[in-house]
Amino acid sequence: MSADLTGTCLTLDDGRSAICFSRVYDHPVDRVWQFVTDADELAHWFPARAEIELHPGGTITFGGDPNLEDSTGRVIVADPPRHLSFEWGGDELHFDLEPLDDRRARFTLTNVLTTEDTAARNGAGWEVCLAALDAWTRGENTDGPHAGADASWREFYDGYVRAGVPSGAPVPGLDA
């Protein structure tokens, strides 16, 4: 069985590599904004607990990822309820929300990569995280993105590698 890959690798205008994901959720844009910015909502799908000071220059405190040390990042842009971008571990995460009507919104996550060889690893991680977000938006309880050894991360990773997505970066929790 092969994973259904939803990420798209791209090169930004400034030459940086990125991987991008898009979803449509049956929620108004203000509700999707909560999924992206509220620590209790993020806990259901984001790979780390994230407490966000929601203003440019604000601090984000990340913790609870079983494979990474706690850390901080910096908010680059906060434009409620349309755009949030911040730094995390050298990468940038950009969340763009677009209302499609009063009940649905398009969610786009762009992970701007520090190094290109993290594309397959990060892409696979976001697939697992976004599957948890997809379930959460449908009202399903999940164990979050760290659902245990049966999580499908490896299948996604192998799929990205087979698709020729740059790989080779160490994998936290798997590589020594």
Side-chain angles (χ1 to χ4, degrees), residues 87-131:
E87 297 172 345
W88 185 28
D91 285 1
E92 289 179 14
L93 298 180
H94 300 248
F95 298 90
D96 290 290
L97 308 180
E98 173 190 1
L100 299 176
D101 55 38
D102 61 346
R103 298 175 304 121
R104 297 178 316 131
R106 180 179 323 282
F107 163 100
T108 303
L109 164 61
T110 305
N111 182 176
V112 182
L113 306 167
T114 302
T115 59
E116 188 179 44
D117 70 349
T118 61
R121 178 194 73 192
N122 290 17
W126 288 122
E127 294 283 5
V128 172
C129 291
L130 293 175

Side-chain angles (χ1 to χ4, degrees), residues 56-98:
T59 299
I60 304 177
T61 304
F62 303 102
D65 183 320
N67 300 310
L68 296 173
E69 292 186 22
D70 292 356
S71 63
T72 59
R74 182 181 61 84
V75 173
I76 301 166
V77 177
D79 182 17
R82 306 287 179 135
H83 178 79
L84 173 66
S85 60
F86 55 82
E87 297 172 345
W88 185 28
D91 285 1
E92 289 179 14
L93 298 180
H94 300 248
F95 298 90
D96 290 290
L97 308 180
E98 173 190 1

